[in-house]
Amino acid sequence: MTLLAALTETPDERPDAIRVAGRAVSGDRLLASAAAVADEVRGLDRVAVEATASLETVVGVVGALLAGVTVVPVPPDAGPMERDHILRDCAAAALLTPDGRPADWADLPAVPTSLDRRSASRPPEPDAGDPALILYTSGTTGLPKGALISRRAIAACLDGLAEAWAWTPDDLLVHGLPLHHVHGLVLGTLGPLRVGGRIDHVGRPRPAAYAAAGGTLYFGVPTVWSRIAAEPAAARALRTARLLVSGSAALPGAVFDGLRRLTSHQVVERYGMTETLITVSARADGPRAAGTVGVPLPGVETRLVDEHGGPVPADGVAMGELLVRGPTLFGGYLNRPDADAASRYDDGWFRTGDIATIGPDGRHRIVGRASTDLIKSGGYRIGAGEVEEALLAHPGVREAAVVGTPHDDLGQQVTAYVVGDGVTAAELIDFVARMLAAHKRPRRVHLVDQLPRNALGKIQKTRLGIGG
């Protein structure tokens, strides 16, 4: 099977098969325009594309993949330093642009991705082990690293999700996610082009746009779902959908419950990383619970280890670093053998850096990042996510982020940053102490106007200015 099987083998002739930000084309029209790009770039090693939410981005990505050329999506909101680093690090040979004119921020030959250009050529399918994408990580611990994602890994991920979610050509997928991340690009764009079905990328993921789309399958991040849950009319419009899927960060329990009341849907949560693609997910035909991200996809293995690499029991309580092994893993970090070696064990296990629990039934719960979300205080191991959930249960709390900060006696203390209305720090500390074990209560609560987030809505705890 070719990577984009549905597009290349049975292209959808419906005029609205692929819709992005209000503009639509048929599958056969997309394929013809992408083939024209493939004719231009064939023989190159890597090409970059400014990954705006546009049909031209889809044409460019698909064209390069048809030609067997590795695609490097550049975030459209990247600053000069990040853009320069990505282009220098990946050594792209050309830049894909809508009109074929060079961009003022890249000294590279430009290749047009215009829908007005078409070709009937059909290049042979490249080797499955060839890199399809280089996706750059968020760079929270230095400059972004380029993760080499093979065609085989993408196919394994999408096929696993199609099985878990009962995803078929009858589905209309609706989302408004960035096209330079796994969620929006691999799942939200390449997914329907492999599995079949229509795509409606609504541009900005506003509740009204989701409500008006009439989809069967919806993708969103917690920020999107939170805003939809806050608009009951928009949420109720999703009752006719088949599946609502959330990822990229933990979905607050209050949002899960609110959507269940308004839409009659229990949201499907899933887990993955740039380096692993999606590895764990709740199933369309399986149980779902707020805060759990399901079970491993076909062929994927997971296990937990402590800080010394020793085994942690899968009892639903004990926390450990989540290790992943399987066909969806990336091929390594570009130009960073040191980082690649540090992220893996010799037997093929990848260190996610995330802290999780695994229940006896195999269901996973992600506690948070080992670097920021596992708090060691007075001999206790405390998951930041549990404290955040407790804070969010208070009616005056809209957002919460919990971290460990240095403490002379305890080693670390639980510190919370809260966006709220009419609440005090003392009130919140007492509230959590009544809900959880006393040692899990925040020792300090900072009331703030907003929490720093990235493009996918993830709270960036390293930017909280933590100091105690």
Side-chain angles (χ1 to χ4, degrees):
M1 182 185 291
T2 59
L3 176 59
L4 305 179
L7 177 68
T8 56
E9 296 169 14
T10 55
D12 195 324
E13 296 181 357
R14 288 173 290 186
D16 62 346
I18 299 97
R19 182 182 296 275
V20 182
R23 298 165 59 218
V25 294
S26 64
D28 47 0
R29 173 76 179 276
L30 170 65
L31 182 59
S33 295
V37 174
D39 291 343
E40 293 276 349
V41 302
R42 191 177 296 117
L44 300 181
D45 188 15
R46 300 165 189 154
V47 295
V49 58
E50 186 178 24
T52 58
S54 67
L55 284 173
E56 286 78 12
T57 294
V58 179
V59 167
V61 170
V62 172
L65 292 179
L66 290 177
V69 177
T70 305
V71 182
V72 185
V74 180
D77 60 349
M81 180 181 294
E82 182 181 359
R83 271 197 315 245
D84 291 347
H85 166 70
I86 290 173
L87 294 179
R88 184 170 57 253
D89 188 59
C90 76
L95 178 69
L96 308 183
T97 67
D99 52 14
R101 286 185 292 184
D104 58 8
W105 50 268
D107 185 20
L108 290 172
V111 174
T113 59
S114 171
L115 287 158
D116 295 330
R117 303 175 74 245
R118 304 183 197 183
S119 170
S121 66
R122 295 291 182 268
E125 179 71 6
D127 186 85
D130 289 351
L133 303 170
I134 299 176
L135 298 178
Y136 278 80
T137 63
S138 59
T140 55
T141 57
L143 288 172
K145 299 188 290 290
L148 291 154
I149 313 295
S150 73
R151 303 172 74 92
R152 180 182 292 114
I154 292 172
C157 173
L158 295 177
D159 291 349
L161 291 177
E163 192 272 336
W165 297 344
W167 189 355
T168 75
D170 294 328
D171 278 308
L172 166 58
L173 170 61
V174 177
H175 71 92
L177 302 169
L179 297 186
H180 57 278
H181 287 289
V182 168
H183 202 165
L185 179 59
V186 177
L187 276 59
T189 304
L190 303 185
L193 299 181
R194 178 174 179 80
V195 175
R198 292 178 294 151
I199 311 168
D200 186 353
H201 188 298
V202 299
R204 296 287 296 277
R206 296 185 175 95
Y210 272 47
T216 62
L217 182 60
Y218 285 81
F219 289 172
V221 297
T223 301
V224 171
W225 294 123
S226 177
R227 290 171 180 171
I228 290 173
E231 296 191 20
R236 292 190 185 100
L238 305 186
R239 283 176 175 264
T240 58
R242 188 177 64 77
L243 216 59
L244 310 182
V245 179
S246 183
S248 300
L251 184 69
V255 176
F256 182 96
D257 292 337
L259 288 169
R260 180 172 52 188
R261 289 192 300 270
L262 292 166
T263 70
S264 299
H265 284 287
Q266 291 181 313
V267 175
V268 165
E269 293 189 70
R270 89 297 182 279
Y271 168 79
M273 303 176 63
T274 302
E275 294 91 339
T276 67
L277 302 182
I278 308 306
T279 53
V280 177
S281 179
R283 296 179 56 86
D285 59 357
R288 305 167 212 165
T292 61
V293 294
V295 296
L297 295 182
V300 174
E301 300 174 83
T302 62
R303 65 185 178 98
L304 302 176
V305 297
D306 60 24
E307 54 263 48
H308 306 296
V312 171
D315 58 7
V317 177
M319 295 182 292
E321 183 182 3
L322 180 64
L323 306 186
V324 175
R325 184 167 66 180
T328 67
L329 262 62
F330 75 136
Y333 292 114
L334 181 67
N335 303 325
R336 291 293 305 274
D338 55 333
D340 198 41
S343 70
R344 299 179 191 255
Y345 286 106
D346 291 339
D347 51 0
W349 290 97
F350 175 77
R351 303 184 59 182
T352 67
D354 284 324
I355 300 300
T357 65
I358 302 176
D361 59 358
R363 283 196 286 176
H364 293 53
R365 181 184 298 273
I366 306 301
V367 176
R369 295 295 292 170
S371 57
T372 56
D373 292 312
L374 182 61
I375 303 168
K376 299 175 183 178
S377 181
Y380 293 102
R381 291 159 60 91
I382 303 166
E386 183 181 17
V387 184
E388 289 163 357
E389 282 291 319
L391 286 165
L392 289 167
H394 190 288
V397 174
R398 286 185 279 128
E399 296 180 310
V402 170
V403 294
T405 58
H407 188 278
D408 290 341
D409 180 45
L410 299 172
Q412 286 184 308
Q413 66 178 0
V414 179
T415 299
Y417 292 79
V418 171
V419 180
D421 301 300
V423 293
T424 66
E427 177 185 355
L428 294 177
I429 291 170
D430 291 342
F431 180 79
V432 174
R434 292 195 300 271
M435 294 189 67
L436 304 176
H439 69 267
K440 297 181 180 180
R441 73 189 186 282
R443 299 276 176 156
R444 296 194 64 180
V445 173
H446 300 280
L447 299 172
V448 297
D449 293 332
Q450 62 182 3
L451 299 175
R453 295 179 182 272
N454 65 13
L456 286 178
K458 292 183 181 180
I459 296 172
Q460 296 178 297
K461 294 188 175 183
T462 55
R463 293 179 53 199
L464 284 172
I466 56 179

